Amino acid sequence: NMSSTANNNNNHDDDATLLKKAEELYAVERLLNAADLLKQVEDVSVFTEDHLMMLRWADAVRKGMEDLLQDPEQKSDQSKDDSDEKSDSPWKKQSETHGHRDFFVYYQLTE
C-alpha cells in the first residue's frame, strides 16, 4: 500500500524532527521541554541511551517538583478518613520565635 509507506515515512521524519528539537532543547538546559517532545515520538526504537536518560531524569525532576510544591501541613489521602488529627505528611516542621518574628523550617528526610 503506497499511502501506508508514505505515512510511515512522514512519521519517521516527524520523529526525527522531534528528536532533533529535543536534543537542541536539552543542550540549552530545557530538560522538561525536551522530554515533552520525546514523549511525542511514535517509534521509540529510534531512542538512544541519551534519550532514555533524558526521559528518566525528567520524570525524577517532575516527581521532585511535586514533592517540593505540596502543602507540608496537608494530610495525605490515607489519613483524611482517620479521626486522628496528626498529619502523616513526610514534611517535618521546626519553629522558633525571636521577638516578634516566627521562623518555620519544613524539611524531609529521604533515604
Side-chain angles (χ1 to χ4, degrees), residues 32-60:
L32 299 180
N33 297 108
D36 290 341
L37 289 178
L38 290 175
K39 289 178 181 180
Q40 297 175 40
V41 172
E42 293 181 21
D43 182 7
V44 296
S45 70
V46 297
F47 283 169
T48 65
E49 188 55 40
D50 287 341
H51 298 133
L52 297 172
M53 180 273 309
M54 285 184 227
L55 288 168
R56 286 190 301 267
W57 193 12
D59 286 342

Short mmCIF file of all heavy atoms in Angstrom, two decimals, residues 32-60:
data_model
loop_
_atom_site.label_atom_id
_atom_site.label_comp_id
_atom_site.label_asym_id
_atom_site.label_seq_id
_atom_site.Cartn_x
_atom_site.Cartn_y
_atom_site.Cartn_z
N LEU A 32 12.81 19.47 30.67
CA LEU A 32 11.39 19.10 30.69
C LEU A 32 10.74 19.33 29.34
O LEU A 32 9.92 18.51 28.91
CB LEU A 32 10.65 19.86 31.80
CG LEU A 32 11.17 19.59 33.21
CD1 LEU A 32 10.38 20.39 34.23
CD2 LEU A 32 11.14 18.12 33.55
N ASN A 33 11.13 20.40 28.65
CA ASN A 33 10.61 20.63 27.30
C ASN A 33 11.10 19.54 26.34
O ASN A 33 10.34 19.07 25.49
CB ASN A 33 11.02 22.00 26.78
CG ASN A 33 10.45 23.12 27.61
OD1 ASN A 33 11.19 23.75 28.34
ND2 ASN A 33 9.16 23.36 27.54
N ALA A 34 12.36 19.16 26.49
CA ALA A 34 12.91 18.10 25.64
C ALA A 34 12.17 16.79 25.87
O ALA A 34 11.82 16.08 24.92
CB ALA A 34 14.40 17.93 25.93
N ALA A 35 11.90 16.48 27.14
CA ALA A 35 11.19 15.23 27.45
C ALA A 35 9.77 15.25 26.89
O ALA A 35 9.27 14.23 26.42
CB ALA A 35 11.16 15.02 28.96
N ASP A 36 9.12 16.42 26.93
CA ASP A 36 7.77 16.52 26.35
C ASP A 36 7.79 16.18 24.86
O ASP A 36 6.89 15.50 24.37
CB ASP A 36 7.20 17.92 26.57
CG ASP A 36 6.85 18.19 28.03
OD1 ASP A 36 6.71 17.23 28.82
OD2 ASP A 36 6.72 19.39 28.38
N LEU A 37 8.82 16.62 24.16
CA LEU A 37 8.93 16.29 22.73
C LEU A 37 9.22 14.80 22.55
O LEU A 37 8.64 14.16 21.66
CB LEU A 37 10.02 17.12 22.07
CG LEU A 37 9.73 18.61 21.88
CD1 LEU A 37 10.93 19.31 21.25
CD2 LEU A 37 8.49 18.81 21.01
N LEU A 38 10.10 14.26 23.38
CA LEU A 38 10.43 12.83 23.25
C LEU A 38 9.20 11.95 23.48
O LEU A 38 9.06 10.90 22.85
CB LEU A 38 11.54 12.45 24.23
CG LEU A 38 12.92 13.03 23.92
CD1 LEU A 38 13.90 12.67 25.03
CD2 LEU A 38 13.44 12.53 22.57
N LYS A 39 8.30 12.38 24.33
CA LYS A 39 7.08 11.60 24.59
C LYS A 39 6.15 11.58 23.39
O LYS A 39 5.26 10.74 23.31
CB LYS A 39 6.35 12.14 25.82
CG LYS A 39 7.10 11.83 27.11
CD LYS A 39 6.39 12.40 28.31
CE LYS A 39 7.19 12.08 29.57
NZ LYS A 39 6.55 12.62 30.77
N GLN A 40 6.37 12.47 22.43
CA GLN A 40 5.56 12.50 21.21
C GLN A 40 6.10 11.60 20.11
O GLN A 40 5.42 11.36 19.12
CB GLN A 40 5.47 13.94 20.68
CG GLN A 40 4.78 14.91 21.61
CD GLN A 40 4.83 16.32 21.07
OE1 GLN A 40 4.68 16.56 19.87
NE2 GLN A 40 5.05 17.28 21.95
N VAL A 41 7.31 11.09 20.29
CA VAL A 41 7.93 10.22 19.29
C VAL A 41 7.15 8.91 19.23
O VAL A 41 6.91 8.27 20.25
CB VAL A 41 9.42 9.97 19.61
CG1 VAL A 41 10.01 8.92 18.69
CG2 VAL A 41 10.20 11.27 19.53
N GLU A 42 6.75 8.54 18.04
CA GLU A 42 5.96 7.32 17.86
C GLU A 42 6.82 6.06 17.84
O GLU A 42 6.44 5.04 18.40
CB GLU A 42 5.11 7.42 16.59
CG GLU A 42 4.03 8.49 16.69
CD GLU A 42 3.19 8.58 15.45
OE1 GLU A 42 3.14 7.61 14.66
OE2 GLU A 42 2.55 9.63 15.27
N ASP A 43 7.96 6.12 17.18
CA ASP A 43 8.84 4.95 17.04
C ASP A 43 9.95 5.03 18.09
O ASP A 43 11.03 5.57 17.84
CB ASP A 43 9.43 4.90 15.63
CG ASP A 43 10.32 3.69 15.40
OD1 ASP A 43 10.36 2.81 16.28
OD2 ASP A 43 10.96 3.64 14.34
N VAL A 44 9.68 4.48 19.28
CA VAL A 44 10.64 4.59 20.38
C VAL A 44 11.90 3.75 20.13
O VAL A 44 12.87 3.89 20.87
CB VAL A 44 10.00 4.22 21.74
CG1 VAL A 44 8.90 5.21 22.10
CG2 VAL A 44 9.47 2.81 21.72
N SER A 45 11.90 2.95 19.10
CA SER A 45 13.09 2.16 18.79
C SER A 45 14.24 3.05 18.31
O SER A 45 15.38 2.63 18.29
CB SER A 45 12.79 1.09 17.74
OG SER A 45 12.55 1.68 16.48
N VAL A 46 13.93 4.30 17.94
CA VAL A 46 14.98 5.22 17.49
C VAL A 46 15.66 5.93 18.65
O VAL A 46 16.64 6.65 18.45
CB VAL A 46 14.43 6.28 16.49
CG1 VAL A 46 13.90 5.59 15.23
CG2 VAL A 46 13.37 7.15 17.13
N PHE A 47 15.16 5.73 19.88
CA PHE A 47 15.77 6.36 21.05
C PHE A 47 17.17 5.82 21.30
O PHE A 47 17.41 4.62 21.21
CB PHE A 47 14.94 6.11 22.31
CG PHE A 47 13.70 6.95 22.43
CD1 PHE A 47 12.76 6.65 23.39
CD2 PHE A 47 13.46 8.04 21.61
CE1 PHE A 47 11.63 7.41 23.54
CE2 PHE A 47 12.32 8.80 21.75
CZ PHE A 47 11.40 8.49 22.71
N THR A 48 18.06 6.74 21.63
CA THR A 48 19.39 6.34 22.07
C THR A 48 19.36 6.27 23.60
O THR A 48 18.37 6.66 24.23
CB THR A 48 20.44 7.38 21.64
OG1 THR A 48 20.18 8.61 22.33
CG2 THR A 48 20.44 7.60 20.14
N GLU A 49 20.45 5.83 24.19
CA GLU A 49 20.54 5.80 25.65
C GLU A 49 20.42 7.22 26.21
O GLU A 49 19.85 7.41 27.29
CB GLU A 49 21.85 5.14 26.10
CG GLU A 49 21.94 4.91 27.60
CD GLU A 49 20.78 4.10 28.18
OE1 GLU A 49 20.35 3.12 27.54
OE2 GLU A 49 20.31 4.45 29.28
N ASP A 50 20.92 8.21 25.49
CA ASP A 50 20.79 9.61 25.93
C ASP A 50 19.32 10.04 26.00
O ASP A 50 18.92 10.72 26.93
CB ASP A 50 21.55 10.55 24.99
CG ASP A 50 23.05 10.47 25.16
OD1 ASP A 50 23.51 9.97 26.22
OD2 ASP A 50 23.78 10.90 24.24
N HIS A 51 18.54 9.65 25.01
CA HIS A 51 17.11 9.99 25.01
C HIS A 51 16.41 9.34 26.20
O HIS A 51 15.60 9.99 26.88
CB HIS A 51 16.43 9.55 23.71
CG HIS A 51 16.99 10.21 22.50
ND1 HIS A 51 17.32 9.50 21.38
CD2 HIS A 51 17.29 11.52 22.23
CE1 HIS A 51 17.79 10.34 20.46
NE2 HIS A 51 17.79 11.57 20.96
N LEU A 52 16.73 8.08 26.46
CA LEU A 52 16.12 7.38 27.59
C LEU A 52 16.53 8.02 28.91
O LEU A 52 15.70 8.16 29.83
CB LEU A 52 16.49 5.90 27.56
CG LEU A 52 15.99 5.13 26.33
CD1 LEU A 52 16.58 3.72 26.31
CD2 LEU A 52 14.47 5.08 26.31
N MET A 53 17.79 8.45 29.00
CA MET A 53 18.26 9.14 30.20
C MET A 53 17.50 10.44 30.41
O MET A 53 17.12 10.78 31.52
CB MET A 53 19.77 9.39 30.09
CG MET A 53 20.41 10.09 31.29
SD MET A 53 20.39 11.92 31.26
CE MET A 53 21.06 12.30 29.66
N MET A 54 17.26 11.19 29.33
CA MET A 54 16.51 12.44 29.43
C MET A 54 15.11 12.19 29.99
O MET A 54 14.64 12.93 30.85
CB MET A 54 16.38 13.11 28.06
CG MET A 54 17.62 13.78 27.56
SD MET A 54 17.23 14.61 25.98
CE MET A 54 18.62 14.06 24.99
N LEU A 55 14.45 11.14 29.51
CA LEU A 55 13.11 10.82 29.98
C LEU A 55 13.11 10.42 31.46
O LEU A 55 12.25 10.86 32.24
CB LEU A 55 12.49 9.70 29.12
CG LEU A 55 12.10 10.11 27.71
CD1 LEU A 55 11.78 8.89 26.86
CD2 LEU A 55 10.92 11.08 27.76
N ARG A 56 14.09 9.59 31.86
CA ARG A 56 14.17 9.18 33.27
C ARG A 56 14.46 10.38 34.16
O ARG A 56 13.84 10.55 35.22
CB ARG A 56 15.26 8.12 33.46
CG ARG A 56 14.90 6.74 32.93
CD ARG A 56 15.91 5.69 33.35
NE ARG A 56 17.26 5.99 32.90
CZ ARG A 56 17.79 5.54 31.76
NH1 ARG A 56 17.09 4.76 30.96
NH2 ARG A 56 19.04 5.85 31.42
N TRP A 57 15.38 11.22 33.73
CA TRP A 57 15.77 12.39 34.51
C TRP A 57 14.59 13.36 34.63
O TRP A 57 14.32 13.93 35.70
CB TRP A 57 16.97 13.05 33.86
CG TRP A 57 17.68 14.07 34.69
CD1 TRP A 57 17.50 14.32 36.03
CD2 TRP A 57 18.66 14.99 34.25
NE1 TRP A 57 18.33 15.34 36.43
CE2 TRP A 57 19.05 15.77 35.35
CE3 TRP A 57 19.26 15.23 33.03
CZ2 TRP A 57 20.00 16.77 35.27
CZ3 TRP A 57 20.21 16.22 32.95
CH2 TRP A 57 20.57 16.98 34.06
N ALA A 58 13.87 13.57 33.54
CA ALA A 58 12.71 14.46 33.56
C ALA A 58 11.64 13.93 34.52
O ALA A 58 11.03 14.71 35.26
CB ALA A 58 12.14 14.62 32.16
N ASP A 59 11.42 12.62 34.54
CA ASP A 59 10.45 12.04 35.48
C ASP A 59 10.88 12.29 36.92
O ASP A 59 10.07 12.63 37.77
CB ASP A 59 10.27 10.54 35.23
CG ASP A 59 9.46 10.23 33.99
OD1 ASP A 59 8.74 11.14 33.50
OD2 ASP A 59 9.53 9.09 33.51
N ALA A 60 12.18 12.14 37.20
CA ALA A 60 12.69 12.38 38.55
C ALA A 60 12.55 13.85 38.93
O ALA A 60 12.17 14.17 40.07
CB ALA A 60 14.16 11.94 38.65
#
